[in-house]
Amino acid sequence: MSDTPAHRLAALTERLHYLNHQYYQNDVSEVSDPEFDALLAELAALEAAHPGLASPNSPTQRVGGAVTKQFATVPHRYPMLSLGNTYSEDDLREFDERVQKGLEGAPYAYVCELKFDGVAMSLRYENGQLTQAVTRGDGSRGDVVTANVRTIRPVPLHLRPAPNQPLDLEVRGEVFMPLPVFAELNAEREANDEALLANPRNAASGALKLQDSAQVAARKLSLFAYSLLAPGRTFGSHSETLEALADYGLPVSKTWRRCAGLAEVLAFVHEWDKKRFTLPVATDGIVIKVDDLRQQDQLGYTAKSPRWAIAYKYPAEAGRTRLLAVEYNVGRTGAVTPVAVLAPVPLAGTVVRRATLHNAQQIAVLDLRVGDLVLVEKGGEIIPKITGAVLAERPAEAVPIAYPTACPACGTALVRTEGEAHIRCPNERGCPPQLKARLEHYVSRKALNIDGLGAETVGRFFDLNLLRTVADIYTLPARRAELVTLERMGEKSIANLLAGIEKSKAAPFDKVLFGLGIRHVGETVARKLAAHYRSIENLAAAPAAEMAAVPEVGGIIAEAAAAWFRQPESQQLLEQLRVAGVQLALMGEAPAPASDRLAGKTFVLSGVFEHHSREELQRLIEAHGGKISGSISKKLSYLVAGENMGPAKREKALALKVPIIAENDLLELLAVPTAPPGAAPIGGGDEVPQLSLF
Ligand code: IVH
């Protein structure tokens, strides 16, 4: 096959669709994650270079990028109904009797499925291509969220043709946030002192409404399909429908079962009562559907729901246990949150020992006392919470809960800011858990991601007085002699730690800004502020009112950021970080202003790079007047090779005598200082330095 951009683009697209299908539908990883990402990045570069060739269902849409200002509302072709709910076996018996009567004694069977607790979604495929995704809305009209749904990896962007089946169809399914993703998201929110999401359903529905689809992609949503509406379909039962959905390449949970009658339905309900907690998706019941599609038609619909299906809801998992004590955690921003210590109680598949109490108000509203018998529920069956105390059984010795007035960690008098539910310890610079949490935040994966310096090591170094502020991290290399004397700190861990610290100096400015742990400055805000102000000097000099006008920032965040920059300790910290060589400006910005030194030069980026993402390198090249190309030709100036670069590229470049350079060579060309500080950027002149060719 000739290697034109169009051919390569088509081949990459097909390969990526295939790999996605293997991964999400067949559980097979044919390539490693970096290999997959490299293919995806190559496709993205090709599409960027040839916008006319990009298709709306390209695998690159998985990473998002499209921004929807306002979601359009459209009518559903077929209304999206809901299901009647039942809560008892008696209700199920009555449902079965109604079905029996409606079918006038003819034999029938059911299909039982789990009821996934997420957001209902309607997917339209035309000629096998995903063309529209619409939320349920009010059942007759919903919001168009296509760009966001395209980021959901298990949702095929085009269908595999199923023999004799139509390719124009409407698929219904449930979008959900897998439980491990939900747990990670909430852990992150907790670390940032942000309000926790009550359950995965809210998390999924919130994610679908995000305007920036790249952010939706980061939420790692998933979907299970459970129904299909297609005029030309040939199958006659719901069980065949589920099989057809899977044949089309749609994700169908394998948990469904055909049941001959009510007894088998009840057995299914019992079987999944506890087993459902082993699944990585929240479920709140069982959906029971008459299998035969003609019989479904015969039974018909009420105004709101089908007569041929019903949802059995498991009772909310609640338990009673003793409140043994209340402990107080101090978070990174000083928020003091109460945590209930409970006598262990089994609930919804796990043993609950602790529950959140949110804040002082909640303790007062519930009138809780230590020693009380309390009711514990799992909200969305994930985060245990206390819903009340059994006042009739309150022991005489139950002690009212006295909310602390001083910080449990450092003794400083606590303060409550008006309008905020949390009580805070204001001792930002001296309260140990706050200092420790700020260090942990700085080194965490989403911030500076310092290898060899995990939360545990940070805690240890803090206790040993080796670390107090994040700037102290950069003094560790000079204190090697002290480090080697520590237990469990071998040569290898030290080397790893120091390499991680060195590498963090090349982390982009927005990561550093996020890592500083300024109140309310989360990942997105840090990105927006970094993009707008481009350097810490500009940001520190900006008045709060101006910062508040940056999209996604607003008054509260701006005030918090401006207050942080006003503190002399912050100024000092920034000075120390600057000296250490940490990026306090966008790459290619001050101190190295954009230039035209790459004018007339074209580059192909291939593989995975050490210091920068491909996008950053691309921006850098363009900022210095260079161009990015998608394919290798004689006219190409350089092939910039990262790790895992495809062998075909290398061979072609060698054959055409195109110089192959490494990331560092490129950075030298650009005169962008990289770690270690002092690595001489090339001086004035127009001369291109000697590059290592390989
Ligand atoms: S079938 C006519 N099957 O539950 C409605 N729904 O109240 C047909 N759901 O809106 C829906 N898992 O969001 C069906 N396996 C499943 C389901 C399921 C979850 C949701 C769906 C629907 C609601 C019904």
Side-chain angles (χ1 to χ4, degrees), residues 651-678:
E651 276 161 32
K652 190 154 183 197
L654 288 173
L656 295 175
K657 301 210 167 49
V658 172
I660 305 177
I661 63 171
E663 183 188 14
N664 277 331
D665 301 323
L666 172 66
L667 296 177
E668 264 191 56
L669 268 177
L670 294 168
V672 175
T674 50

PDB file of all heavy atoms in Angstrom, residues 651-678:
ATOM      1  N   GLU A 651      13.077   3.836   9.289  1.00  0.00           N
ATOM      2  CA  GLU A 651      13.653   3.350   8.032  1.00  0.00           C
ATOM      3  C   GLU A 651      13.443   4.346   6.903  1.00  0.00           C
ATOM      4  O   GLU A 651      14.348   4.651   6.133  1.00  0.00           O
ATOM      5  CB  GLU A 651      13.032   2.008   7.656  1.00  0.00           C
ATOM      6  CG  GLU A 651      13.742   0.868   8.356  1.00  0.00           C
ATOM      7  CD  GLU A 651      12.910  -0.404   8.384  1.00  0.00           C
ATOM      8  OE1 GLU A 651      12.140  -0.628   7.422  1.00  0.00           O
ATOM      9  OE2 GLU A 651      13.029  -1.149   9.377  1.00  0.00           O
ATOM     10  N   LYS A 652      12.230   4.887   6.874  1.00  0.00           N
ATOM     11  CA  LYS A 652      11.919   5.827   5.797  1.00  0.00           C
ATOM     12  C   LYS A 652      12.810   7.068   5.915  1.00  0.00           C
ATOM     13  O   LYS A 652      13.337   7.563   4.915  1.00  0.00           O
ATOM     14  CB  LYS A 652      10.443   6.209   5.872  1.00  0.00           C
ATOM     15  CG  LYS A 652      10.016   6.971   4.668  1.00  0.00           C
ATOM     16  CD  LYS A 652       8.539   6.820   4.409  1.00  0.00           C
ATOM     17  CE  LYS A 652       8.188   7.567   3.133  1.00  0.00           C
ATOM     18  NZ  LYS A 652       6.789   7.817   3.019  1.00  0.00           N
ATOM     19  N   ALA A 653      12.966   7.568   7.149  1.00  0.00           N
ATOM     20  CA  ALA A 653      13.784   8.768   7.351  1.00  0.00           C
ATOM     21  C   ALA A 653      15.232   8.491   6.946  1.00  0.00           C
ATOM     22  O   ALA A 653      15.876   9.315   6.297  1.00  0.00           O
ATOM     23  CB  ALA A 653      13.699   9.212   8.802  1.00  0.00           C
ATOM     24  N   LEU A 654      15.708   7.302   7.323  1.00  0.00           N
ATOM     25  CA  LEU A 654      17.088   6.956   6.978  1.00  0.00           C
ATOM     26  C   LEU A 654      17.247   6.890   5.455  1.00  0.00           C
ATOM     27  O   LEU A 654      18.199   7.423   4.894  1.00  0.00           O
ATOM     28  CB  LEU A 654      17.476   5.622   7.617  1.00  0.00           C
ATOM     29  CG  LEU A 654      17.687   5.667   9.149  1.00  0.00           C
ATOM     30  CD1 LEU A 654      17.887   4.271   9.705  1.00  0.00           C
ATOM     31  CD2 LEU A 654      18.855   6.573   9.522  1.00  0.00           C
ATOM     32  N   ALA A 655      16.241   6.252   4.816  1.00  0.00           N
ATOM     33  CA  ALA A 655      16.314   6.093   3.362  1.00  0.00           C
ATOM     34  C   ALA A 655      16.321   7.452   2.673  1.00  0.00           C
ATOM     35  O   ALA A 655      17.022   7.656   1.685  1.00  0.00           O
ATOM     36  CB  ALA A 655      15.137   5.252   2.876  1.00  0.00           C
ATOM     37  N   LEU A 656      15.536   8.396   3.203  1.00  0.00           N
ATOM     38  CA  LEU A 656      15.431   9.714   2.562  1.00  0.00           C
ATOM     39  C   LEU A 656      16.469  10.694   3.110  1.00  0.00           C
ATOM     40  O   LEU A 656      16.444  11.882   2.800  1.00  0.00           O
ATOM     41  CB  LEU A 656      14.018  10.285   2.760  1.00  0.00           C
ATOM     42  CG  LEU A 656      12.880   9.508   2.087  1.00  0.00           C
ATOM     43  CD1 LEU A 656      11.526  10.100   2.444  1.00  0.00           C
ATOM     44  CD2 LEU A 656      13.051   9.505   0.578  1.00  0.00           C
ATOM     45  N   LYS A 657      17.333  10.182   3.991  1.00  0.00           N
ATOM     46  CA  LYS A 657      18.401  10.986   4.591  1.00  0.00           C
ATOM     47  C   LYS A 657      17.854  12.191   5.373  1.00  0.00           C
ATOM     48  O   LYS A 657      18.432  13.287   5.366  1.00  0.00           O
ATOM     49  CB  LYS A 657      19.401  11.462   3.525  1.00  0.00           C
ATOM     50  CG  LYS A 657      20.061  10.315   2.779  1.00  0.00           C
ATOM     51  CD  LYS A 657      21.468  10.706   2.334  1.00  0.00           C
ATOM     52  CE  LYS A 657      22.295   9.541   1.866  1.00  0.00           C
ATOM     53  NZ  LYS A 657      21.654   8.648   0.881  1.00  0.00           N
ATOM     54  N   VAL A 658      16.725  11.984   6.012  1.00  0.00           N
ATOM     55  CA  VAL A 658      16.171  13.034   6.886  1.00  0.00           C
ATOM     56  C   VAL A 658      16.844  12.874   8.247  1.00  0.00           C
ATOM     57  O   VAL A 658      16.869  11.772   8.793  1.00  0.00           O
ATOM     58  CB  VAL A 658      14.641  12.855   7.041  1.00  0.00           C
ATOM     59  CG1 VAL A 658      14.090  13.804   8.091  1.00  0.00           C
ATOM     60  CG2 VAL A 658      13.953  13.074   5.707  1.00  0.00           C
ATOM     61  N   PRO A 659      17.414  13.959   8.811  1.00  0.00           N
ATOM     62  CA  PRO A 659      18.069  13.813  10.117  1.00  0.00           C
ATOM     63  C   PRO A 659      17.069  13.385  11.204  1.00  0.00           C
ATOM     64  O   PRO A 659      15.961  13.912  11.266  1.00  0.00           O
ATOM     65  CB  PRO A 659      18.602  15.214  10.421  1.00  0.00           C
ATOM     66  CG  PRO A 659      18.486  15.984   9.154  1.00  0.00           C
ATOM     67  CD  PRO A 659      17.482  15.317   8.290  1.00  0.00           C
ATOM     68  N   ILE A 660      17.499  12.417  12.018  1.00  0.00           N
ATOM     69  CA  ILE A 660      16.663  11.974  13.141  1.00  0.00           C
ATOM     70  C   ILE A 660      17.267  12.570  14.407  1.00  0.00           C
ATOM     71  O   ILE A 660      18.455  12.365  14.674  1.00  0.00           O
ATOM     72  CB  ILE A 660      16.646  10.440  13.242  1.00  0.00           C
ATOM     73  CG1 ILE A 660      16.211   9.848  11.903  1.00  0.00           C
ATOM     74  CG2 ILE A 660      15.720   9.985  14.352  1.00  0.00           C
ATOM     75  CD1 ILE A 660      16.227   8.329  11.860  1.00  0.00           C
ATOM     76  N   ILE A 661      16.479  13.334  15.143  1.00  0.00           N
ATOM     77  CA  ILE A 661      17.030  13.962  16.350  1.00  0.00           C
ATOM     78  C   ILE A 661      16.204  13.547  17.566  1.00  0.00           C
ATOM     79  O   ILE A 661      15.076  13.078  17.435  1.00  0.00           O
ATOM     80  CB  ILE A 661      17.066  15.504  16.240  1.00  0.00           C
ATOM     81  CG1 ILE A 661      15.652  16.062  16.098  1.00  0.00           C
ATOM     82  CG2 ILE A 661      17.929  15.939  15.062  1.00  0.00           C
ATOM     83  CD1 ILE A 661      15.588  17.583  16.212  1.00  0.00           C
ATOM     84  N   ALA A 662      16.788  13.744  18.743  1.00  0.00           N
ATOM     85  CA  ALA A 662      16.095  13.391  19.991  1.00  0.00           C
ATOM     86  C   ALA A 662      15.418  14.640  20.560  1.00  0.00           C
ATOM     87  O   ALA A 662      15.674  15.759  20.102  1.00  0.00           O
ATOM     88  CB  ALA A 662      17.095  12.836  20.996  1.00  0.00           C
ATOM     89  N   GLU A 663      14.563  14.425  21.569  1.00  0.00           N
ATOM     90  CA  GLU A 663      13.824  15.536  22.176  1.00  0.00           C
ATOM     91  C   GLU A 663      14.775  16.631  22.670  1.00  0.00           C
ATOM     92  O   GLU A 663      14.541  17.820  22.456  1.00  0.00           O
ATOM     93  CB  GLU A 663      12.976  14.999  23.335  1.00  0.00           C
ATOM     94  CG  GLU A 663      12.118  16.050  23.996  1.00  0.00           C
ATOM     95  CD  GLU A 663      11.435  15.519  25.266  1.00  0.00           C
ATOM     96  OE1 GLU A 663      11.850  14.446  25.756  1.00  0.00           O
ATOM     97  OE2 GLU A 663      10.518  16.185  25.753  1.00  0.00           O
ATOM     98  N   ASN A 664      15.860  16.207  23.333  1.00  0.00           N
ATOM     99  CA  ASN A 664      16.792  17.193  23.878  1.00  0.00           C
ATOM    100  C   ASN A 664      17.439  18.035  22.787  1.00  0.00           C
ATOM    101  O   ASN A 664      17.686  19.224  22.979  1.00  0.00           O
ATOM    102  CB  ASN A 664      17.884  16.507  24.691  1.00  0.00           C
ATOM    103  CG  ASN A 664      17.379  16.237  26.096  1.00  0.00           C
ATOM    104  OD1 ASN A 664      16.527  16.975  26.600  1.00  0.00           O
ATOM    105  ND2 ASN A 664      17.877  15.180  26.713  1.00  0.00           N
ATOM    106  N   ASP A 665      17.685  17.397  21.629  1.00  0.00           N
ATOM    107  CA  ASP A 665      18.257  18.147  20.517  1.00  0.00           C
ATOM    108  C   ASP A 665      17.283  19.226  20.067  1.00  0.00           C
ATOM    109  O   ASP A 665      17.665  20.353  19.778  1.00  0.00           O
ATOM    110  CB  ASP A 665      18.553  17.212  19.331  1.00  0.00           C
ATOM    111  CG  ASP A 665      19.520  16.108  19.728  1.00  0.00           C
ATOM    112  OD1 ASP A 665      20.434  16.401  20.512  1.00  0.00           O
ATOM    113  OD2 ASP A 665      19.339  14.976  19.261  1.00  0.00           O
ATOM    114  N   LEU A 666      16.013  18.839  20.032  1.00  0.00           N
ATOM    115  CA  LEU A 666      14.994  19.802  19.622  1.00  0.00           C
ATOM    116  C   LEU A 666      14.965  20.966  20.613  1.00  0.00           C
ATOM    117  O   LEU A 666      14.925  22.133  20.226  1.00  0.00           O
ATOM    118  CB  LEU A 666      13.628  19.113  19.557  1.00  0.00           C
ATOM    119  CG  LEU A 666      12.447  20.051  19.337  1.00  0.00           C
ATOM    120  CD1 LEU A 666      12.525  20.695  17.961  1.00  0.00           C
ATOM    121  CD2 LEU A 666      11.123  19.313  19.467  1.00  0.00           C
ATOM    122  N   LEU A 667      14.993  20.627  21.903  1.00  0.00           N
ATOM    123  CA  LEU A 667      14.932  21.681  22.916  1.00  0.00           C
ATOM    124  C   LEU A 667      16.153  22.592  22.810  1.00  0.00           C
ATOM    125  O   LEU A 667      16.053  23.795  23.021  1.00  0.00           O
ATOM    126  CB  LEU A 667      14.813  21.070  24.318  1.00  0.00           C
ATOM    127  CG  LEU A 667      13.525  20.270  24.542  1.00  0.00           C
ATOM    128  CD1 LEU A 667      13.516  19.639  25.924  1.00  0.00           C
ATOM    129  CD2 LEU A 667      12.294  21.138  24.350  1.00  0.00           C
ATOM    130  N   GLU A 668      17.272  22.001  22.457  1.00  0.00           N
ATOM    131  CA  GLU A 668      18.472  22.827  22.279  1.00  0.00           C
ATOM    132  C   GLU A 668      18.296  23.776  21.107  1.00  0.00           C
ATOM    133  O   GLU A 668      18.661  24.946  21.175  1.00  0.00           O
ATOM    134  CB  GLU A 668      19.690  21.937  22.037  1.00  0.00           C
ATOM    135  CG  GLU A 668      20.467  21.683  23.307  1.00  0.00           C
ATOM    136  CD  GLU A 668      21.791  21.034  22.999  1.00  0.00           C
ATOM    137  OE1 GLU A 668      22.558  21.598  22.206  1.00  0.00           O
ATOM    138  OE2 GLU A 668      22.026  19.945  23.549  1.00  0.00           O
ATOM    139  N   LEU A 669      17.719  23.225  20.044  1.00  0.00           N
ATOM    140  CA  LEU A 669      17.444  24.060  18.873  1.00  0.00           C
ATOM    141  C   LEU A 669      16.601  25.267  19.246  1.00  0.00           C
ATOM    142  O   LEU A 669      16.728  26.345  18.698  1.00  0.00           O
ATOM    143  CB  LEU A 669      16.626  23.247  17.859  1.00  0.00           C
ATOM    144  CG  LEU A 669      17.350  22.473  16.790  1.00  0.00           C
ATOM    145  CD1 LEU A 669      16.343  21.700  15.961  1.00  0.00           C
ATOM    146  CD2 LEU A 669      18.092  23.441  15.886  1.00  0.00           C
ATOM    147  N   LEU A 670      15.707  25.020  20.209  1.00  0.00           N
ATOM    148  CA  LEU A 670      14.774  26.073  20.599  1.00  0.00           C
ATOM    149  C   LEU A 670      15.337  26.956  21.690  1.00  0.00           C
ATOM    150  O   LEU A 670      14.715  27.933  22.081  1.00  0.00           O
ATOM    151  CB  LEU A 670      13.489  25.433  21.131  1.00  0.00           C
ATOM    152  CG  LEU A 670      12.694  24.662  20.102  1.00  0.00           C
ATOM    153  CD1 LEU A 670      11.639  23.838  20.780  1.00  0.00           C
ATOM    154  CD2 LEU A 670      12.068  25.640  19.140  1.00  0.00           C
ATOM    155  N   ALA A 671      16.477  26.536  22.239  1.00  0.00           N
ATOM    156  CA  ALA A 671      17.085  27.268  23.347  1.00  0.00           C
ATOM    157  C   ALA A 671      16.165  27.310  24.549  1.00  0.00           C
ATOM    158  O   ALA A 671      16.075  28.303  25.237  1.00  0.00           O
ATOM    159  CB  ALA A 671      17.452  28.682  22.927  1.00  0.00           C
ATOM    160  N   VAL A 672      15.447  26.233  24.776  1.00  0.00           N
ATOM    161  CA  VAL A 672      14.604  26.163  25.964  1.00  0.00           C
ATOM    162  C   VAL A 672      15.411  25.491  27.051  1.00  0.00           C
ATOM    163  O   VAL A 672      15.879  24.378  26.857  1.00  0.00           O
ATOM    164  CB  VAL A 672      13.339  25.330  25.691  1.00  0.00           C
ATOM    165  CG1 VAL A 672      12.534  25.156  26.942  1.00  0.00           C
ATOM    166  CG2 VAL A 672      12.525  26.005  24.618  1.00  0.00           C
ATOM    167  N   PRO A 673      15.615  26.159  28.162  1.00  0.00           N
ATOM    168  CA  PRO A 673      16.436  25.525  29.183  1.00  0.00           C
ATOM    169  C   PRO A 673      15.746  24.282  29.718  1.00  0.00           C
ATOM    170  O   PRO A 673      14.563  24.314  30.016  1.00  0.00           O
ATOM    171  CB  PRO A 673      16.555  26.581  30.274  1.00  0.00           C
ATOM    172  CG  PRO A 673      15.634  27.680  29.918  1.00  0.00           C
ATOM    173  CD  PRO A 673      15.055  27.430  28.575  1.00  0.00           C
ATOM    174  N   THR A 674      16.471  23.193  29.806  1.00  0.00           N
ATOM    175  CA  THR A 674      15.907  21.980  30.392  1.00  0.00           C
ATOM    176  C   THR A 674      16.725  21.652  31.619  1.00  0.00           C
ATOM    177  O   THR A 674      17.798  22.191  31.811  1.00  0.00           O
ATOM    178  CB  THR A 674      16.038  20.788  29.434  1.00  0.00           C
ATOM    179  OG1 THR A 674      17.380  20.729  28.996  1.00  0.00           O
ATOM    180  CG2 THR A 674      15.104  20.883  28.277  1.00  0.00           C
ATOM    181  N   ALA A 675      16.222  20.753  32.432  1.00  0.00           N
ATOM    182  CA  ALA A 675      16.981  20.320  33.588  1.00  0.00           C
ATOM    183  C   ALA A 675      18.187  19.554  33.081  1.00  0.00           C
ATOM    184  O   ALA A 675      18.087  18.892  32.051  1.00  0.00           O
ATOM    185  CB  ALA A 675      16.114  19.423  34.433  1.00  0.00           C
ATOM    186  N   PRO A 676      19.369  19.547  33.711  1.00  0.00           N
ATOM    187  CA  PRO A 676      19.623  20.324  34.902  1.00  0.00           C
ATOM    188  C   PRO A 676      19.791  21.809  34.577  1.00  0.00           C
ATOM    189  O   PRO A 676      20.192  22.138  33.470  1.00  0.00           O
ATOM    190  CB  PRO A 676      20.941  19.740  35.404  1.00  0.00           C
ATOM    191  CG  PRO A 676      21.600  19.216  34.190  1.00  0.00           C
ATOM    192  CD  PRO A 676      20.514  18.741  33.290  1.00  0.00           C
ATOM    193  N   PRO A 677      19.474  22.677  35.560  1.00  0.00           N
ATOM    194  CA  PRO A 677      19.578  24.091  35.283  1.00  0.00           C
ATOM    195  C   PRO A 677      21.022  24.372  34.933  1.00  0.00           C
ATOM    196  O   PRO A 677      21.920  23.771  35.507  1.00  0.00           O
ATOM    197  CB  PRO A 677      19.174  24.760  36.589  1.00  0.00           C
ATOM    198  CG  PRO A 677      19.321  23.713  37.634  1.00  0.00           C
ATOM    199  CD  PRO A 677      19.175  22.402  36.955  1.00  0.00           C
ATOM    200  N   GLY A 678      21.235  25.279  34.022  1.00  0.00           N
ATOM    201  CA  GLY A 678      22.620  25.574  33.671  1.00  0.00           C
ATOM    202  C   GLY A 678      23.034  24.822  32.434  1.00  0.00           C
ATOM    203  O   GLY A 678      24.056  25.125  31.848  1.00  0.00           O
TER     204      GLY A 678
END
